[in-house]
Amino acid sequence: GAVVSQHPSRVICKSGTSVKIECRSLDFQATTMFWYRQFPKKSLMLMATSNEGSKATYEQGVEKDKFLINHASLTLSTLTVTSAHPEDSSFYICSARLAGRFYNEQFFGPGTRLTVL
Amino acid sequence: AQSVTQLDSHVSVSEGTPVLLRCNYSSSYSPSLFWYVQHPNKGLQLLLKYTSAATLVKGINGFEAEFKKSETSFHLTKPSAHMSDAAEYFCVVRRYNFNKFYFGSGTKLNVKP
């Protein structure tokens, strides 16, 4: 139980295009999902907290107009990288918190490798 | 402010020998602490967590960690390494009553046959 999937697992796009990454909780409902970014040989950095039915909360330094987050249902959150540039190339990981569960539980997806040419 | 320091970026052990992955934290409040493992092309998997109960926490796959408040440490140990333990390990701190997780920089564990 508590499986989180991400799609796609890998994406390559041209500079200037937009890319959408999906994060789904497969067997549970998640009122809150989180988006992280992982640079090569670096740690995970929280980008934003996504709450179902409301606007995402972005961490300091993360451009909300560049990284659009939508959490339209209790099982799906999407991250859209708009007008992507090579510096946006990274590994993006989402996590989900079970609805009604204590704050300690977060379940992570397998990640999406984005390469911008 | 919360932060996590993983003291070793790489650790290499022989199969069957003990594993020690070090983690120090700073937190203004009572923290919750976690260890996650990341295998290549796999999601992060929770190994164990400390949430102000017993200071010695046992996790999956024979791993355990001890919360030492006086040393602000939460080191991960395993008595005998297995080849399948080779992966990246992350120490994570969560401030009490907040959703946010703060990740350490990670330690890559290599297990030699």
Side-chain angles (χ1 to χ4, degrees):
Chain A
V3 177
V4 176
S5 71
Q6 282 184 241
H7 178 79
S9 57
R10 287 179 171 271
V11 57
I12 300 173
C13 69
K14 292 183 179 180
S15 187
T17 60
S18 294
V19 174
K20 181 185 282 188
I21 302 170
E22 292 186 348
C23 176
R24 290 182 185 273
S25 55
L26 296 185
D27 50 3
F28 66 99
Q29 293 184 327
T31 51
T32 306
M33 290 183 169
F34 305 87
W35 287 95
Y36 295 84
R37 183 172 178 177
Q38 186 177 27
F39 292 95
K41 299 184 181 180
K42 298 269 187 177
S43 185
L44 277 75
M45 290 179 52
L46 179 64
M47 298 174 65
T49 302
S50 166
N51 293 297
E52 186 266 337
S54 64
K55 290 184 178 180
T57 304
Y58 290 82
E59 295 299 296
Q60 193 172 7
V62 177
E63 298 175 62
K64 62 175 119 179
D65 294 332
K66 175 145 192 80
F67 298 100
L68 300 179
I69 291 172
N70 183 274
H71 192 159
S73 78
L74 286 171
T75 60
L76 173 64
S77 176
T78 60
L79 168 68
T80 302
V81 183
T82 63
S83 188
H85 287 99
E87 57 264 31
D88 298 326
S89 298
S90 195
F91 195 53
Y92 293 88
I93 300 175
C94 72
S95 71
R97 184 169 74 85
L98 275 73
R101 285 295 296 270
F102 195 62
Y103 289 112
N104 278 325
E105 302 279 0
Q106 274 193 35
F107 299 93
F108 288 83
T112 296
R113 171 90 44 205
L114 171 63
T115 303
V116 184
L117 302 176
Chain B
Q2 286 68 232
S3 72
V4 179
T5 302
Q6 290 184 244
L7 297 159
D8 307 294
S9 59
H10 288 82
V11 169
S12 186
V13 301
S14 297
E15 190 174 21
T17 64
V19 175
L20 169 65
L21 305 183
R22 298 182 292 167
C23 172
N24 286 92
Y25 71 91
S26 67
S27 177
S28 305
Y29 298 83
S30 298
S32 292
L33 293 156
F34 308 78
W35 276 98
Y36 281 87
V37 61
Q38 186 180 35
H39 287 93
N41 302 317
K42 293 279 183 74
L44 287 155
Q45 181 183 19
L46 178 66
L47 281 178
L48 48 81
K49 62 183 177 184
Y50 166 77
T51 55
S52 78
T55 56
L56 181 62
V57 182
K58 293 189 184 300
I60 62 171
N61 301 335
F63 284 95
E64 61 181 41
E66 186 172 8
F67 173 72
K68 291 187 177 180
K69 189 174 181 179
S70 60
E71 299 177 9
T72 61
S73 69
F74 190 58
H75 301 333
L76 181 71
T77 60
K78 183 173 181 177
S80 176
H82 192 272
M83 294 297 293
S84 60
D85 295 328
E88 184 104 28
Y89 292 79
F90 291 96
C91 183
V92 180
V93 64
R94 182 186 69 79
R95 179 177 163 179
Y96 177 74
N97 214 29
F98 275 76
N99 274 324
K100 297 180 182 180
F101 280 22
Y102 298 90
F103 281 75
S105 54
T107 299
K108 190 163 188 176
L109 176 64
N110 178 44
V111 182
K112 299 174 288 186

